[in-house]
Amino acid sequence: MRKEEEQGVWAVKAMTQVLLGGVIAAATGLLFLFVCAVLISKGVLDQAHINTLAVAACVVGSLVGGIVAVSRCKGRSMIVGLFTGVALFLILLTLGVLLYQTVALEDGGVPLGCACLCGGALAGLFGARPKKKRRK
């Protein structure tokens, strides 16, 4: 195979893994929010921390989804992790439009987007395989 064909195959595999990581990130974030909702209903957490918990759910979800995507895709781990965070943000944005028929980035969308990118970047940093040492 030529180098262009190899890059094309890698790009398709990377996009597939990014989308899979985005779906896993959304499911992980929803699971985290469900646990937080149970803790709020039991009185362990205060309801005033909802915005902080939503941002934390984005970071945790993006981190888990990014680690899955990075571990399944060889090379360029930072790019794969960041795009997984972008995929999670787009999934959340799409769900928000479908459920609420509006897009209001001023009402907390910017911190959620930053949290998704930060979680994906962390996955890219921590999920990368160490480089092999060259022997002389």
Side-chain angles (χ1 to χ4, degrees), residues 3-4 24 44 54 58 60 84 91 109:
K3 189 170 185 167
E4 294 88 20
I24 290 173
V44 176
C58 286
V60 169
T84 303
I91 288 171

Side-chain angles (χ1 to χ4, degrees), residues 33 40 46-56:
L33 287 175
I40 287 173
D46 189 21
Q47 193 173 0
H49 301 297
I50 289 178
N51 290 337
T52 306
L53 292 174
V55 171

Side-chain angles (χ1 to χ4, degrees), residues 77-129:
S77 59
M78 182 61 85
I79 294 173
V80 173
L82 282 174
F83 277 130
T84 303
V86 170
L88 174 62
F89 182 67
L90 291 177
I91 288 171
L92 294 176
L93 196 65
T94 304
L95 287 175
V97 167
L98 290 175
L99 294 175
Y100 301 113
Q101 286 83 30
T102 184
V103 177
L105 293 178
E106 309 84 40
D107 296 334
V110 175
L112 293 180
C114 291
C116 291
L117 285 175
C118 287
L122 285 174
L125 287 174
F126 296 136
R129 294 182 180 98

Side-chain angles (χ1 to χ4, degrees), residues 5 8 30-31 36 51 65 111:
E5 291 176 357
L30 287 175
L31 183 65
C36 291
N51 290 337

